[in-house]
Amino acid sequence: MPNHHQHHLQALLRSTPPSSSSSAHSFTSKLLLLLTILPLTLAALAFVLQWRGGGLTDPTTRWAPPGSQHLFPGMDPSPLSPTAHRHSSSSDCVNLGRGSSPSFPYYQGWKFDSVANLRPKICITTSTSAGLDQILPWMFYHKVIGVSTFLLFVEGKAASPDVSKVLESIPGVKVIYRTKELEEQQAKSRIWNETWLSSFFYKPCNYELFVKQSLNMEMAIVMARDAGMEWIIHLDTDELLHPAGAREYSLRQLLLDVPGNVDMVIFPNYESSVEREDVKEPFSEVSMFKRNYDHLPKDTYFGMYKESTRGNPNYFLTYGNGKSAARIQDHLRPNGAHRWHNYMKTPNEIKLEEAAVLHYTYAKFSDLTSRRDRCGCKPTKEDVKRCFMLEFDRSAFIIASTATEEEMLNWYREHIVWGDKDIKMKLLRKGILTRVYAPMAIIQGLRESGVFSSVIASAPTTLSKEKFLSSIVSSNSSRAVASESLPSRKIGGRKGYQATLRKILDIESAASYEAAVPPLSPPGMDDDHLILDV
């Protein structure tokens, strides 16, 4: 029986053509060889790549743009930049990013002044009386996203020796003090002979600040131009730029992509929506924001208007018309604290569809009393109109001036803190409220890496306020507004006041321009039909 099966098998093998057997055997062998070699090759390749890259990829490198190694977003030269190819392997910021911080391994050893070749060059100017706890996170966050120069017009706490000596020690920072010399330089401003800002002259508190900001912005244009800047932005130190929509989280990339014929770029503002009354560091603790009308569908905005306002005078607590960046060019001028303009032409202006200014307004309970302490108005509905342009500021001032501490806290919880989880979730689902985590993460990473503490520790013990005077060479210099200690704006004497007033009234002989853009509230329900018909 076995012999029978053996003969049968031999017969079957003989019946198979020799060429077919050989071909099938060859194909099977090659397939097995390929399946064996392929995974080994891939494993070897992965090992080589990891070894060349310095080890396993840090999960946070997903933030880095394609083709970069350990670069924080926004810090590497754009492919469109003329420096991109020259620095493709030795970017200034590659050397900044070899740290080992558990949150962001990009801070240890960073040299924030190593940005000489980055384009475009961006300058931020501000008028501030804040302390280091607010200014340093604000400043270094903007350094991370691509700002190279800061022009700080300081008063109050910001001008104190302990604060200003630190600010003066930071590369790329120019500190300008409100001294007699500065006021004399600003007294020559052409603004005082024109009409576009005149409706804000000789009024207290917020109006005074608005004029002072505009005059400082005028001077900042000249300083920024002398420093070779290409863009200038005016921001308060409670505002952070959020460059959403850029290829990377970079203000430089955002402005680099702006067409060359565009003169100005508007950043709509988002407003902080605090969820606790005990916030101490808004930049690190606040992640929820109310989106701007410009970034919402009209039916969503007006359909959810009542839930969004919660009984407050408007959709936003304070302003809603954003801030703008201007390309530095001939005849540039401020147009109030929120906009820029040009003496010789109507600027070509665009509004960004995703990027925003994050405005941390009334984010701390102490903001109620700090605003009250800066203004000497009477806490009456009529008198606060002289001091504040926006209705919520007026209400907050009256409460802070007349209520007890407990009453103030209850008012703060009711009007500012978002405590109702159902309403909050509903507005988050509708897109009216949104979460923004990048600034919080960046600033927390900076803090953990010791950037702020090392800047303070390395500041010199002496400073020279006179250093800044050498940069005040502006023929555009502005007239100073009265110091905060003065009850009214009797600056330059009665004679100077009368001369200015005559020039304001003499509209026929003075250049006439559109009025400066003030801080404006977002559209209200009464504006619904007007906007929908446009």
Side-chain angles (χ1 to χ4, degrees), residues 87-127:
H87 295 272
S88 59
S89 61
S90 60
S91 167
D92 292 319
C93 299
V94 171
N95 298 325
L96 308 180
R98 300 299 187 188
S100 56
S101 166
S103 296
F104 281 82
Y106 305 99
Y107 302 104
Q108 186 174 344
W110 269 21
K111 302 295 183 184
F112 283 98
D113 54 325
S114 302
V115 293
N117 295 319
L118 301 183
R119 292 290 186 275
K121 290 189 174 182
I122 305 166
C123 168
I124 285 181
T125 183
T126 190
S127 300

mmCIF file of all heavy atoms in Angstrom, residues 87-127:
data_model
loop_
_atom_site.group_PDB
_atom_site.id
_atom_site.type_symbol
_atom_site.label_atom_id
_atom_site.label_comp_id
_atom_site.label_asym_id
_atom_site.label_seq_id
_atom_site.Cartn_x
_atom_site.Cartn_y
_atom_site.Cartn_z
ATOM 1 N N HIS A 87 19.810 79.970 7.298
ATOM 2 C CA HIS A 87 19.785 79.496 8.672
ATOM 3 C C HIS A 87 19.046 78.186 8.820
ATOM 4 O O HIS A 87 18.567 77.871 9.883
ATOM 5 C CB HIS A 87 19.135 80.554 9.570
ATOM 6 C CG HIS A 87 19.922 81.821 9.639
ATOM 7 N ND1 HIS A 87 20.914 82.017 10.553
ATOM 8 C CD2 HIS A 87 19.858 82.965 8.896
ATOM 9 C CE1 HIS A 87 21.440 83.230 10.402
ATOM 10 N NE2 HIS A 87 20.817 83.816 9.403
ATOM 11 N N SER A 88 18.939 77.426 7.739
ATOM 12 C CA SER A 88 18.123 76.221 7.801
ATOM 13 C C SER A 88 18.646 75.217 8.810
ATOM 14 O O SER A 88 17.897 74.477 9.393
ATOM 15 C CB SER A 88 18.056 75.572 6.409
ATOM 16 O OG SER A 88 19.374 75.260 5.966
ATOM 17 N N SER A 89 19.975 75.201 9.030
ATOM 18 C CA SER A 89 20.502 74.233 9.986
ATOM 19 C C SER A 89 21.034 74.878 11.246
ATOM 20 O O SER A 89 21.396 74.195 12.183
ATOM 21 C CB SER A 89 21.636 73.436 9.316
ATOM 22 O OG SER A 89 22.682 74.314 8.947
ATOM 23 N N SER A 90 21.114 76.205 11.269
ATOM 24 C CA SER A 90 21.669 76.865 12.450
ATOM 25 C C SER A 90 20.858 78.096 12.801
ATOM 26 O O SER A 90 21.397 79.162 13.032
ATOM 27 C CB SER A 90 23.125 77.241 12.194
ATOM 28 O OG SER A 90 23.210 78.122 11.083
ATOM 29 N N SER A 91 19.547 77.936 12.791
ATOM 30 C CA SER A 91 18.684 79.055 13.160
ATOM 31 C C SER A 91 19.028 79.545 14.546
ATOM 32 O O SER A 91 19.421 78.794 15.415
ATOM 33 C CB SER A 91 17.215 78.614 13.133
ATOM 34 O OG SER A 91 16.406 79.559 13.762
ATOM 35 N N ASP A 92 18.888 80.868 14.737
ATOM 36 C CA ASP A 92 19.132 81.449 16.051
ATOM 37 C C ASP A 92 18.367 80.701 17.126
ATOM 38 O O ASP A 92 18.842 80.568 18.252
ATOM 39 C CB ASP A 92 18.690 82.921 16.059
ATOM 40 C CG ASP A 92 19.582 83.776 15.185
ATOM 41 O OD1 ASP A 92 20.797 83.567 15.210
ATOM 42 O OD2 ASP A 92 19.045 84.635 14.494
ATOM 43 N N CYS A 93 17.171 80.247 16.762
ATOM 44 C CA CYS A 93 16.307 79.671 17.784
ATOM 45 C C CYS A 93 16.550 78.195 18.012
ATOM 46 O O CYS A 93 16.064 77.638 18.988
ATOM 47 C CB CYS A 93 14.849 79.918 17.422
ATOM 48 S SG CYS A 93 14.521 81.672 17.354
ATOM 49 N N VAL A 94 17.289 77.513 17.110
ATOM 50 C CA VAL A 94 17.640 76.127 17.395
ATOM 51 C C VAL A 94 18.471 76.085 18.659
ATOM 52 O O VAL A 94 18.316 75.221 19.518
ATOM 53 C CB VAL A 94 18.417 75.508 16.220
ATOM 54 C CG1 VAL A 94 18.967 74.144 16.609
ATOM 55 C CG2 VAL A 94 17.520 75.370 15.012
ATOM 56 N N ASN A 95 19.374 77.068 18.801
ATOM 57 C CA ASN A 95 20.222 77.115 19.982
ATOM 58 C C ASN A 95 19.429 77.448 21.240
ATOM 59 O O ASN A 95 19.929 77.276 22.340
ATOM 60 C CB ASN A 95 21.317 78.169 19.784
ATOM 61 C CG ASN A 95 22.217 77.823 18.629
ATOM 62 O OD1 ASN A 95 22.497 76.662 18.386
ATOM 63 N ND2 ASN A 95 22.668 78.827 17.882
ATOM 64 N N LEU A 96 18.218 77.959 21.075
ATOM 65 C CA LEU A 96 17.416 78.316 22.228
ATOM 66 C C LEU A 96 16.632 77.125 22.759
ATOM 67 O O LEU A 96 16.073 77.207 23.840
ATOM 68 C CB LEU A 96 16.407 79.420 21.854
ATOM 69 C CG LEU A 96 16.982 80.656 21.181
ATOM 70 C CD1 LEU A 96 15.855 81.624 20.889
ATOM 71 C CD2 LEU A 96 18.022 81.315 22.055
ATOM 72 N N GLY A 97 16.543 76.069 21.999
ATOM 73 C CA GLY A 97 15.564 75.038 22.313
ATOM 74 C C GLY A 97 16.098 73.720 22.779
ATOM 75 O O GLY A 97 15.519 72.690 22.503
ATOM 76 N N ARG A 98 17.229 73.676 23.467
ATOM 77 C CA ARG A 98 17.788 72.389 23.897
ATOM 78 C C ARG A 98 17.585 72.118 25.376
ATOM 79 O O ARG A 98 18.363 71.459 26.010
ATOM 80 C CB ARG A 98 19.285 72.358 23.583
ATOM 81 C CG ARG A 98 19.596 72.524 22.094
ATOM 82 C CD ARG A 98 18.990 71.412 21.272
ATOM 83 N NE ARG A 98 19.437 71.483 19.886
ATOM 84 C CZ ARG A 98 18.958 70.736 18.917
ATOM 85 N NH1 ARG A 98 17.992 69.877 19.174
ATOM 86 N NH2 ARG A 98 19.401 70.837 17.696
ATOM 87 N N GLY A 99 16.529 72.676 25.933
ATOM 88 C CA GLY A 99 16.302 72.533 27.376
ATOM 89 C C GLY A 99 15.666 71.211 27.726
ATOM 90 O O GLY A 99 15.410 70.368 26.888
ATOM 91 N N SER A 100 15.380 71.045 29.014
ATOM 92 C CA SER A 100 14.771 69.797 29.470
ATOM 93 C C SER A 100 13.625 70.065 30.431
ATOM 94 O O SER A 100 13.364 69.286 31.320
ATOM 95 C CB SER A 100 15.825 68.929 30.160
ATOM 96 O OG SER A 100 16.423 69.652 31.223
ATOM 97 N N SER A 101 12.963 71.209 30.282
ATOM 98 C CA SER A 101 11.810 71.512 31.132
ATOM 99 C C SER A 101 10.712 70.505 30.872
ATOM 100 O O SER A 101 10.480 70.112 29.736
ATOM 101 C CB SER A 101 11.306 72.930 30.826
ATOM 102 O OG SER A 101 10.038 73.132 31.390
ATOM 103 N N PRO A 102 10.020 70.050 31.914
ATOM 104 C CA PRO A 102 8.987 69.025 31.717
ATOM 105 C C PRO A 102 7.829 69.498 30.861
ATOM 106 O O PRO A 102 7.165 68.698 30.231
ATOM 107 C CB PRO A 102 8.526 68.716 33.146
ATOM 108 C CG PRO A 102 8.924 69.912 33.958
ATOM 109 C CD PRO A 102 10.173 70.422 33.328
ATOM 110 N N SER A 103 7.544 70.791 30.834
ATOM 111 C CA SER A 103 6.397 71.283 30.079
ATOM 112 C C SER A 103 6.785 71.692 28.666
ATOM 113 O O SER A 103 6.212 71.235 27.702
ATOM 114 C CB SER A 103 5.766 72.482 30.806
ATOM 115 O OG SER A 103 5.267 72.080 32.053
ATOM 116 N N PHE A 104 7.756 72.593 28.565
ATOM 117 C CA PHE A 104 8.211 73.085 27.270
ATOM 118 C C PHE A 104 9.733 73.062 27.261
ATOM 119 O O PHE A 104 10.355 73.836 27.972
ATOM 120 C CB PHE A 104 7.740 74.535 27.022
ATOM 121 C CG PHE A 104 6.316 74.624 26.586
ATOM 122 C CD1 PHE A 104 5.298 74.590 27.512
ATOM 123 C CD2 PHE A 104 5.990 74.742 25.245
ATOM 124 C CE1 PHE A 104 3.982 74.675 27.121
ATOM 125 C CE2 PHE A 104 4.677 74.823 24.848
ATOM 126 C CZ PHE A 104 3.675 74.793 25.786
ATOM 127 N N PRO A 105 10.344 72.182 26.490
ATOM 128 C CA PRO A 105 11.798 72.071 26.527
ATOM 129 C C PRO A 105 12.477 73.096 25.633
ATOM 130 O O PRO A 105 13.471 72.805 25.004
ATOM 131 C CB PRO A 105 12.031 70.649 25.996
ATOM 132 C CG PRO A 105 10.922 70.457 25.016
ATOM 133 C CD PRO A 105 9.733 71.200 25.605
ATOM 134 N N TYR A 106 11.924 74.305 25.543
ATOM 135 C CA TYR A 106 12.426 75.266 24.577
ATOM 136 C C TYR A 106 13.000 76.520 25.229
ATOM 137 O O TYR A 106 13.392 77.429 24.545
ATOM 138 C CB TYR A 106 11.297 75.697 23.635
ATOM 139 C CG TYR A 106 10.638 74.531 22.952
ATOM 140 C CD1 TYR A 106 9.446 74.019 23.416
ATOM 141 C CD2 TYR A 106 11.250 73.914 21.873
ATOM 142 C CE1 TYR A 106 8.858 72.931 22.804
ATOM 143 C CE2 TYR A 106 10.667 72.834 21.259
ATOM 144 C CZ TYR A 106 9.469 72.346 21.734
ATOM 145 O OH TYR A 106 8.886 71.268 21.137
ATOM 146 N N TYR A 107 13.016 76.584 26.550
ATOM 147 C CA TYR A 107 13.328 77.853 27.188
ATOM 148 C C TYR A 107 14.735 77.940 27.765
ATOM 149 O O TYR A 107 15.321 78.989 27.805
ATOM 150 C CB TYR A 107 12.316 78.124 28.309
ATOM 151 C CG TYR A 107 10.905 78.159 27.813
ATOM 152 C CD1 TYR A 107 10.036 77.100 28.031
ATOM 153 C CD2 TYR A 107 10.441 79.244 27.087
ATOM 154 C CE1 TYR A 107 8.746 77.128 27.557
ATOM 155 C CE2 TYR A 107 9.143 79.273 26.600
ATOM 156 C CZ TYR A 107 8.310 78.218 26.848
ATOM 157 O OH TYR A 107 7.022 78.241 26.376
ATOM 158 N N GLN A 108 15.236 76.821 28.259
ATOM 159 C CA GLN A 108 16.504 76.867 28.962
ATOM 160 C C GLN A 108 17.608 77.384 28.050
ATOM 161 O O GLN A 108 17.864 76.862 26.978
ATOM 162 C CB GLN A 108 16.868 75.465 29.461
ATOM 163 C CG GLN A 108 18.111 75.448 30.332
ATOM 164 C CD GLN A 108 18.349 74.068 30.906
ATOM 165 O OE1 GLN A 108 17.456 73.239 30.904
ATOM 166 N NE2 GLN A 108 19.539 73.831 31.391
ATOM 167 N N GLY A 109 18.266 78.426 28.480
ATOM 168 C CA GLY A 109 19.368 78.975 27.697
ATOM 169 C C GLY A 109 18.936 79.853 26.549
ATOM 170 O O GLY A 109 19.759 80.245 25.736
ATOM 171 N N TRP A 110 17.671 80.203 26.450
ATOM 172 C CA TRP A 110 17.231 81.044 25.339
ATOM 173 C C TRP A 110 17.866 82.413 25.434
ATOM 174 O O TRP A 110 17.973 82.998 26.502
ATOM 175 C CB TRP A 110 15.707 81.193 25.370
ATOM 176 C CG TRP A 110 15.011 80.152 24.568
ATOM 177 C CD1 TRP A 110 15.506 78.944 24.199
ATOM 178 C CD2 TRP A 110 13.689 80.216 24.050
ATOM 179 N NE1 TRP A 110 14.572 78.243 23.493
ATOM 180 C CE2 TRP A 110 13.447 78.998 23.390
ATOM 181 C CE3 TRP A 110 12.689 81.162 24.092
ATOM 182 C CZ2 TRP A 110 12.249 78.727 22.760
ATOM 183 C CZ3 TRP A 110 11.485 80.884 23.467
ATOM 184 C CH2 TRP A 110 11.281 79.677 22.808
ATOM 185 N N LYS A 111 18.272 82.953 24.312
ATOM 186 C CA LYS A 111 18.766 84.326 24.212
ATOM 187 C C LYS A 111 17.760 85.091 23.368
ATOM 188 O O LYS A 111 17.790 85.040 22.147
ATOM 189 C CB LYS A 111 20.154 84.362 23.554
ATOM 190 C CG LYS A 111 21.200 83.529 24.285
ATOM 191 C CD LYS A 111 21.492 84.082 25.669
ATOM 192 C CE LYS A 111 22.593 83.286 26.361
ATOM 193 N NZ LYS A 111 22.830 83.750 27.730
ATOM 194 N N PHE A 112 16.846 85.770 24.043
ATOM 195 C CA PHE A 112 15.746 86.399 23.331
ATOM 196 C C PHE A 112 16.202 87.572 22.472
ATOM 197 O O PHE A 112 15.444 88.093 21.689
ATOM 198 C CB PHE A 112 14.670 86.868 24.314
ATOM 199 C CG PHE A 112 13.827 85.754 24.820
ATOM 200 C CD1 PHE A 112 14.078 85.170 26.049
ATOM 201 C CD2 PHE A 112 12.777 85.263 24.067
ATOM 202 C CE1 PHE A 112 13.291 84.138 26.512
ATOM 203 C CE2 PHE A 112 11.984 84.229 24.530
ATOM 204 C CZ PHE A 112 12.245 83.661 25.764
ATOM 205 N N ASP A 113 17.468 88.003 22.638
ATOM 206 C CA ASP A 113 17.950 89.103 21.804
ATOM 207 C C ASP A 113 18.539 88.601 20.491
ATOM 208 O O ASP A 113 18.941 89.392 19.657
ATOM 209 C CB ASP A 113 18.996 89.921 22.559
ATOM 210 C CG ASP A 113 20.135 89.060 23.087
ATOM 211 O OD1 ASP A 113 19.869 87.912 23.472
ATOM 212 O OD2 ASP A 113 21.277 89.548 23.126
ATOM 213 N N SER A 114 18.605 87.278 20.304
ATOM 214 C CA SER A 114 19.201 86.712 19.089
ATOM 215 C C SER A 114 18.176 86.618 17.969
ATOM 216 O O SER A 114 17.844 85.548 17.481
ATOM 217 C CB SER A 114 19.779 85.329 19.386
ATOM 218 O OG SER A 114 20.738 85.402 20.405
ATOM 219 N N VAL A 115 17.632 87.756 17.571
ATOM 220 C CA VAL A 115 16.589 87.760 16.550
ATOM 221 C C VAL A 115 16.895 88.775 15.461
ATOM 222 O O VAL A 115 16.013 89.204 14.744
ATOM 223 C CB VAL A 115 15.204 88.072 17.178
ATOM 224 C CG1 VAL A 115 14.763 86.944 18.085
ATOM 225 C CG2 VAL A 115 15.241 89.386 17.946
ATOM 226 N N ALA A 116 18.184 89.149 15.339
ATOM 227 C CA ALA A 116 18.543 90.248 14.438
ATOM 228 C C ALA A 116 18.166 89.958 12.993
ATOM 229 O O ALA A 116 17.836 90.874 12.241
ATOM 230 C CB ALA A 116 20.037 90.523 14.551
ATOM 231 N N ASN A 117 18.208 88.686 12.580
ATOM 232 C CA ASN A 117 17.976 88.358 11.174
ATOM 233 C C ASN A 117 16.552 87.923 10.868
ATOM 234 O O ASN A 117 16.248 87.573 9.733
ATOM 235 C CB ASN A 117 18.949 87.247 10.748
ATOM 236 C CG ASN A 117 20.386 87.712 10.798
ATOM 237 O OD1 ASN A 117 20.690 88.838 10.401
ATOM 238 N ND2 ASN A 117 21.277 86.863 11.288
ATOM 239 N N LEU A 118 15.686 87.913 11.882
ATOM 240 C CA LEU A 118 14.324 87.456 11.657
ATOM 241 C C LEU A 118 13.495 88.556 11.011
ATOM 242 O O LEU A 118 13.622 89.731 11.339
ATOM 243 C CB LEU A 118 13.686 87.009 12.976
ATOM 244 C CG LEU A 118 14.412 85.878 13.713
ATOM 245 C CD1 LEU A 118 13.654 85.490 14.957
ATOM 246 C CD2 LEU A 118 14.586 84.653 12.813
ATOM 247 N N ARG A 119 12.631 88.172 10.088
ATOM 248 C CA ARG A 119 11.782 89.123 9.382
ATOM 249 C C ARG A 119 10.336 88.646 9.407
ATOM 250 O O ARG A 119 10.087 87.445 9.397
ATOM 251 C CB ARG A 119 12.236 89.275 7.907
ATOM 252 C CG ARG A 119 13.586 89.944 7.728
ATOM 253 C CD ARG A 119 13.520 91.431 8.092
ATOM 254 N NE ARG A 119 14.763 92.123 7.787
ATOM 255 C CZ ARG A 119 15.818 92.173 8.581
ATOM 256 N NH1 ARG A 119 15.767 91.566 9.747
ATOM 257 N NH2 ARG A 119 16.898 92.833 8.231
ATOM 258 N N PRO A 120 9.368 89.562 9.417
ATOM 259 C CA PRO A 120 9.575 91.007 9.529
ATOM 260 C C PRO A 120 9.896 91.421 10.952
ATOM 261 O O PRO A 120 9.609 90.688 11.905
ATOM 262 C CB PRO A 120 8.227 91.573 9.091
ATOM 263 C CG PRO A 120 7.243 90.532 9.496
ATOM 264 C CD PRO A 120 7.938 89.211 9.282
ATOM 265 N N LYS A 121 10.488 92.605 11.106
ATOM 266 C CA LYS A 121 10.794 93.125 12.436
ATOM 267 C C LYS A 121 9.555 93.823 12.981
ATOM 268 O O LYS A 121 9.019 94.729 12.359
ATOM 269 C CB LYS A 121 11.976 94.085 12.374
ATOM 270 C CG LYS A 121 13.304 93.388 12.081
ATOM 271 C CD LYS A 121 14.463 94.339 12.244
ATOM 272 C CE LYS A 121 15.789 93.604 12.092
ATOM 273 N NZ LYS A 121 16.946 94.517 12.288
ATOM 274 N N ILE A 122 9.132 93.381 14.163
ATOM 275 C CA ILE A 122 7.860 93.833 14.743
ATOM 276 C C ILE A 122 8.128 94.555 16.059
ATOM 277 O O ILE A 122 8.902 94.076 16.893
ATOM 278 C CB ILE A 122 6.926 92.630 14.993
ATOM 279 C CG1 ILE A 122 6.721 91.827 13.705
ATOM 280 C CG2 ILE A 122 5.592 93.090 15.559
ATOM 281 C CD1 ILE A 122 6.094 90.456 13.931
ATOM 282 N N CYS A 123 7.474 95.683 16.215
ATOM 283 C CA CYS A 123 7.594 96.480 17.437
ATOM 284 C C CYS A 123 6.228 96.587 18.112
ATOM 285 O O CYS A 123 5.220 96.799 17.444
ATOM 286 C CB CYS A 123 8.120 97.874 17.086
ATOM 287 S SG CYS A 123 8.002 99.073 18.419
ATOM 288 N N ILE A 124 6.206 96.421 19.432
ATOM 289 C CA ILE A 124 5.003 96.694 20.221
ATOM 290 C C ILE A 124 5.286 97.899 21.109
ATOM 291 O O ILE A 124 6.345 97.983 21.735
ATOM 292 C CB ILE A 124 4.609 95.483 21.083
ATOM 293 C CG1 ILE A 124 3.966 94.391 20.214
ATOM 294 C CG2 ILE A 124 3.641 95.884 22.182
ATOM 295 C CD1 ILE A 124 3.521 93.159 20.974
ATOM 296 N N THR A 125 4.357 98.827 21.148
ATOM 297 C CA THR A 125 4.461 99.959 22.054
ATOM 298 C C THR A 125 3.284 99.954 23.012
ATOM 299 O O THR A 125 2.188 99.496 22.668
ATOM 300 C CB THR A 125 4.524 101.293 21.278
ATOM 301 O OG1 THR A 125 4.707 102.369 22.214
ATOM 302 C CG2 THR A 125 3.262 101.545 20.478
ATOM 303 N N THR A 126 3.537 100.418 24.237
ATOM 304 C CA THR A 126 2.484 100.460 25.249
ATOM 305 C C THR A 126 2.715 101.628 26.182
ATOM 306 O O THR A 126 3.834 102.125 26.311
ATOM 307 C CB THR A 126 2.441 99.146 26.056
ATOM 308 O OG1 THR A 126 1.273 99.118 26.869
ATOM 309 C CG2 THR A 126 3.665 98.997 26.955
ATOM 310 N N SER A 127 1.656 102.066 26.832
ATOM 311 C CA SER A 127 1.740 103.028 27.928
ATOM 312 C C SER A 127 1.247 102.290 29.167
ATOM 313 O O SER A 127 0.100 101.845 29.210
ATOM 314 C CB SER A 127 0.852 104.243 27.653
ATOM 315 O OG SER A 127 1.244 104.893 26.454
#
